[in-house]
Structure formats: C-alpha cells, structure tokens
C-alpha cells in the first residue's frame, strides 16, 4: 500500500501549487489506501490546508532556502510532518519516522537526512516558532490577507468569529425525508441504534449528529430515509415553499440535495438544471437513491434561450455559483484557490444569471436567491441592485432587519454553514 504521508504531500502539492481541487485530488489518493488510513489521509490534508501560512512560516525559518523545482513536493512533506507534530496526537517519534519514511517511498532517499534534521529542529524550537508566527496576522488567522480585510469591512464585530469557525471541523447534519418518517420518529431510530444527536427546532427536517459517521450505518439511508445536508442548505426548499403540481426550476442544482428536498416537501414537477454534466449525474444518483423523479437538464442557467421552452415557472430556486466562502470549513482549499479578483468576476456572473432567469418566473411566482458565500458583493449588494433595477420584483423580508436596501438573510458559519438567502416575488 502507498505511504499515507507521501500521498498527503502529493495531494497538497497538486492543490496549493497546481490549483487542483481537493474534491478531485483527495478521492484519487484515498483509492490507494484502506481503512483507517483513508481517515488519516483526509485529516492530514485538511489540517495542512487549514494551517498552511503557519507551516510555511516555520519552513521559512528552518530552511536555508525553500525546496523548488522537482524537489518542491518535499516542501509539502515537511508541512505534513510539522502538522502532525503540532496539531495531531501522533507520538512525536512516530510522526518523524513515518514522515522520513514517506521520502523514501517517494524515491528520494537523498533527502531523508534533510527532512529528518528539519523536523528534529522544529521539535526543539517549536515554542519560539509558534510565538513568532502569532505576531503575523496571516499566520495568526491562517487565512489569506485579502479575505481577512473583506471580513473586517463587512463584519467589524464578528470577523474573528468567522475565521475561528472556518478552522473547525464541519458538523454533520442529516435531513429527514418526511415522506418516510417525521423528524421525531427518525430521532427515535437513531436513539435505538445508539447514534448520539440533537434536534434543533429552527430546522424542521434537520438532525445534528454529535460526531460524523459512515452514512451506511444510518438507519434507512440506502432506502432514502435521510440525506446528509447542512442545516443552512436545508432552508432553501423550506423558504421556496413548493406546492403540489407546480412547475419548479432548481437552477444550478448539483449535487441535488435541494432538488430532492423540494420533492420531499411537495409532489411537484421539478426541472434540475446544471452546466456541469458530471455533477448533474450526482443529482440523478441522489434522486434514484431516494426514489424521486425530476427532469435533469444539462444547460447553462445564464443562457435560457438555449433550453427554455417558454413555459413559465411557478417557483425558482437560484443557488448561483459563488466564492463558497461560507463553507471553508468543509473545503479548506477554497482559502488558497480563491483569489481577490474572483469576487468581482463571480458577482458579474451572478447578476447575469439572475437577470436572465427572472423572465422565466410567472407573475405572482417566487424566486429564492441563494449562495454559500459570506461576502456582501455576492449577496446583499447583488440583490439590492437587482431590486433597484427591476420594478416588477417584490422584496419579501426574512427577518426584522431585511429591507430592500439591505435585503436577505445572512447566516454565518457556526451551528450551520455560512449561507445567504433572499426571497423575491414577481408582481402580478
């Protein structure tokens, strides 16, 4: 079997230096190991990405010069070793020995001495290195500087809380399929199976597990009794309020959790649209597991003239492409793959999709605009601009301070992920 630490270093190199998605690289590496090693691989990869600036700082202090070119991947071996020594419960001797062994498995025995020496020095100097890192804001918060500044501007009182939550392990939420069981009934089934959890009244279909588990250990999972979906994402279908026999568009639908939830709440005719055909397959897989039917359409939401048949929709869920800055704790690579310039580009795309989808909504119909972002440019500013420019768009407040000038509901990472919702109807 492949060396777990060597695989982790390779994954991290592909993500950080080559701009590859962790969602793509991690499963490929996980196929090369078995059992507990899969969990260890994920823990190391997520951990290094969470603390990358701090680990980079340590290497800058300890290496005479960074490893470059063909040796660059071994810089990530050092990050893997240091992460274990500082943040994991691996015995120090084992962390060093296994990391050095990773170098040998990567066919670079000539670097074993260097890796061993750096990790031993790190052990001796760890306290001083930690102290020096804590003086650097990017290391203190382990987020890119541009993102920290945006949060400080948008959330002057809570920006540090958001950064703290982004560094935590994401909670595992279940959505109970009300076709099968009530939330209370499913909670009793979890109790019978000894799966510890809690029920939160704010989320009528949601159950929060005390700790993540294999989905196939959940009662009735294979038969569609429940799905894994964060509490914030569960709000989409509830805010949409689907009714029986309505024609509903779930635009940008992949991977399909919201599509399934709509159909669990109402016997409606749903069109699930997504521009990514591979991700659209996930929608079909989810529908099949739960035993639901929707028409899956492989098309671009921003160009409805290429796929729309001119039949207006009663309701539209528009979960637009976004920076995903509200789900960093689930996808820590977002911090290093996203760029400051991406935000303006995404805001332009979101405005295009919203403006082009709006004509598809029938008079009196409802549109829910959603993102998994915490940035105002993609959320309140986006919807406020749309309301100002479209006299037939009626704003529906989701809380007491939800106004047309500052519209929508912004959820920040905590009990749920960071999400944004705004509710609009079209004038009759």
């Amino acid at each position: 079997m492949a060396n777990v630490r060597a695989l982790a270093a390779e994954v991290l190199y592909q993500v950080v230096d080559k701009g590859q998605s962790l969602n793509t690289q991690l499963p490929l590496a996980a196929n090369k190991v078995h059992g507990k090693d899969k969990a260890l691989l994920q823990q190391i990869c997520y951990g290094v990405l969470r603390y990358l600036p701090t680990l980079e700082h340590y290497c800058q202090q300890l290496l005479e010069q960074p490893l470059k070119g063909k040796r660059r991947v071994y810089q990530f071996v050092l990050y893997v070793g240091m992460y274990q020594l500082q943040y994991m419960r691996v015995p120090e001797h084992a962390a060093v020995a296994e990391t050095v062994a990773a170098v040998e498995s990567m066919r670079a025995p000539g670097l074993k001495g260097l890796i061993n020496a750096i990790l031993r020095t790190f052990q001796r100097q760890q306290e001083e290195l930690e102290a020096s890192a804590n003086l650097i804001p990017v290391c203190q918060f382990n987020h890119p500087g541009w993102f920290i500044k945006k949060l400080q501007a948008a959330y002057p009182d809570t920006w540090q809380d958001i950064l703290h939550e982004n560094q935590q392990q994401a909670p595992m939420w279940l959505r109970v399929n009300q076709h099968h069981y009530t939330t209370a009934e499913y909670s009793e089934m979890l109790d019978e199976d000894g799966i510890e959890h809690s029920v939160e009244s704010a989320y009528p279909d949601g159950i929060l597990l005390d700790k993540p588990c294999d989905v196939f250990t959940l009662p009735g999972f294979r038969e569609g009794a429940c799905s894994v979906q964060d509490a914030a994402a569960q709000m989409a279908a509830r805010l949409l309020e689907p009714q029986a026999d309505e024609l509903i568009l779930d635009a940008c639908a992949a991977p399909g959790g919201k599509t399934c939830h709509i159909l669990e709440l109402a016997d409606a005719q749903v069109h699930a649209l997504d521009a990514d055909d591979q991700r659209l397959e996930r929608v079909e897989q989810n529908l099949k597991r739960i035993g639901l039917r929707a028409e899956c359409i492989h098309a671009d939401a921003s160009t409805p003239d290429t796929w729309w048949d001119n039949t207006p929709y009663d309701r539209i869920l528009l979960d637009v492409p976004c920076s995903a800055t509200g789900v960093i704790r689930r996808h820590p690579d977002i911090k290093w793959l996203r760029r400051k310039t991406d935000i303006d580009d995404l805001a332009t795309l979101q405005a295009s999709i919203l403006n082009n989808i709006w004509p598809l909504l029938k008079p009196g119909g409802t549109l829910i605009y959603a993102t998994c972002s915490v940035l105002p440019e993609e959320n309140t500013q986006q919807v406020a601009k749309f309301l100002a420019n479209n006299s037939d768009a009626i704003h529906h407040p989701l809380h007491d301070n939800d106004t047309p000038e500052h519209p929508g509901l912004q959820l920040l990472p905590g009990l749920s992920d960071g999400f944004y919702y705004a509710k609009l109807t079209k004038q009759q």
Side-chain angles (χ1 to χ4, degrees):
M1 291 302 294
N3 182 292
V4 176
R5 288 153 182 88
L7 284 173
E10 188 63 49
V11 168
L12 292 162
Y13 169 69
Q14 290 295 329
V15 170
V16 177
D17 276 27
K18 299 299 182 182
Q20 297 294 309
S21 164
L22 185 63
N23 274 358
T24 303
Q25 295 298 313
L26 189 56
L28 294 175
N31 286 336
K32 299 174 183 176
V33 294
H34 292 309
K36 291 182 178 179
D37 280 349
K38 289 183 186 289
L40 177 61
L41 176 66
Q42 177 171 316
Q43 184 181 4
I44 292 173
C45 289
Y46 273 61
V48 170
L49 290 168
R50 284 187 176 125
Y51 293 98
L52 186 62
T54 296
L55 299 170
E56 286 177 334
H57 171 75
Y58 294 159
C59 277
Q60 286 169 2
Q61 302 303 304
L62 297 175
L63 278 171
E64 290 184 12
Q65 55 186 23
L67 299 172
K68 296 180 180 178
K70 292 181 178 178
R71 304 170 84 198
R72 176 62 181 163
V73 69
Y74 302 103
Q75 182 97 1
F76 290 91
V77 174
L78 283 171
Y79 298 160
V80 167
M82 290 174 179
Y83 175 74
Q84 293 169 88
L85 289 168
Q86 181 163 348
Y87 299 104
M88 289 178 67
R89 294 179 180 174
V90 180
E92 290 192 356
H93 64 89
V96 174
E98 291 294 332
T99 305
V100 172
V103 180
E104 189 158 24
S105 77
M106 297 164 79
R107 298 177 184 172
L111 286 175
K112 284 173 61 179
L114 174 66
I115 300 296
N116 184 63
I118 296 295
L119 292 179
R120 297 292 185 195
T121 306
F122 174 72
Q123 284 179 283
R124 292 193 299 271
Q125 298 180 11
Q126 191 170 340
E127 285 188 19
E128 305 97 276
L129 288 165
E130 282 184 52
S132 66
N134 283 331
L135 299 175
I136 305 168
V138 170
C139 294
Q140 189 181 351
F141 298 110
N142 286 288
H143 283 69
W146 70 265
F147 182 63
I148 295 173
K149 288 176 184 174
K150 278 193 175 291
L151 288 186
Q152 288 171 331
Y155 307 100
D157 299 325
T158 56
W159 63 273
Q160 290 194 40
D161 297 334
I162 298 170
L163 296 175
H164 172 76
E165 287 294 339
N166 285 351
Q167 294 293 90
Q168 310 309 307
Q169 182 179 4
M172 184 170 175
W173 281 89
L174 305 180
R175 183 189 77 242
V176 179
N177 183 350
Q178 304 295 325
H179 273 184
H180 289 232
Y181 305 100
T182 66
T183 305
E185 287 169 343
Y186 196 76
S187 173
E188 288 180 12
M189 292 166 67
L190 291 175
D191 283 335
E192 289 169 8
D193 284 7
I195 299 173
E196 296 181 350
H197 64 281
S198 58
V199 177
E200 302 288 339
S201 59
Y203 304 106
D205 310 306
I207 289 179
L208 175 62
L209 300 186
D210 285 12
K211 58 183 180 180
C213 70
D214 181 342
V215 291
F216 295 109
T217 65
L218 297 168
F221 179 82
R222 285 184 174 84
E223 294 75 40
C226 73
S227 299
V228 177
Q229 187 183 39
D230 187 76
Q234 292 181 31
M235 293 181 66
R238 285 286 180 178
L239 291 172
L240 189 67
E241 298 180 294
Q243 304 299 313
D245 301 321
E246 287 184 329
L247 180 62
I248 297 174
L249 174 64
D250 183 3
C252 315
K258 300 180 186 72
T259 305
C260 293
H261 196 191
I262 291 167
L263 288 162
E264 288 169 10
L265 296 178
D267 187 13
Q269 183 183 350
V270 176
H271 291 173
L273 180 89
D274 205 274
D276 186 328
D277 58 341
Q278 288 187 319
R279 297 190 74 229
L280 198 61
E281 286 179 19
R282 292 273 309 280
V283 180
E284 292 170 342
Q285 289 165 5
N286 279 316
L287 287 165
K288 185 177 180 181
R289 178 180 64 84
I290 300 174
L292 300 169
R293 294 186 67 180
E295 184 179 338
C296 292
I297 303 171
H298 176 218
D300 189 333
S302 65
T303 56
D305 56 315
T306 63
W307 54 267
W308 185 44
D309 67 359
N310 292 316
T311 306
Y313 289 96
D314 295 286
R315 298 176 197 268
I316 297 175
L317 173 57
L318 190 58
D319 187 357
V320 292
C322 71
S323 62
T325 46
V327 292
I328 284 173
R329 60 186 181 182
R330 295 189 188 279
H331 307 283
D333 54 329
I334 288 167
K335 294 190 288 186
W336 317 119
L337 296 177
R338 192 67 68 219
R339 298 285 179 266
K340 182 180 179 180
T341 51
D342 294 342
I343 308 308
D344 287 343
D345 293 343
L346 284 163
T348 300
L349 174 62
Q350 291 155 1
S352 171
I353 293 174
L354 180 53
N355 285 314
N356 286 314
I357 284 290
W358 183 250
L360 280 59
L361 184 67
K362 69 166 53 172
T366 297
L367 182 143
I368 299 294
Y369 176 91
T371 78
C372 56
S373 169
V374 295
L375 300 178
E377 299 98 310
E378 302 178 86
N379 299 339
T380 51
Q381 293 174 19
Q382 188 74 259
V383 176
K385 194 184 305 178
F386 181 80
L387 286 167
N389 293 335
N390 292 271
S391 58
D392 63 343
I394 302 169
H395 161 257
H396 284 261
L398 299 177
H399 56 91
D400 291 343
N401 297 319
D402 183 351
T403 66
E405 296 74 30
H406 194 85
L409 172 65
Q410 180 68 69
L411 302 169
L412 299 176
L415 185 63
S416 72
D417 288 341
F419 248 80
Y420 172 83
Y421 290 107
K423 186 172 186 176
L424 311 174
T425 57
K426 184 175 281 190
Q427 198 162 6
Q428 290 273 22

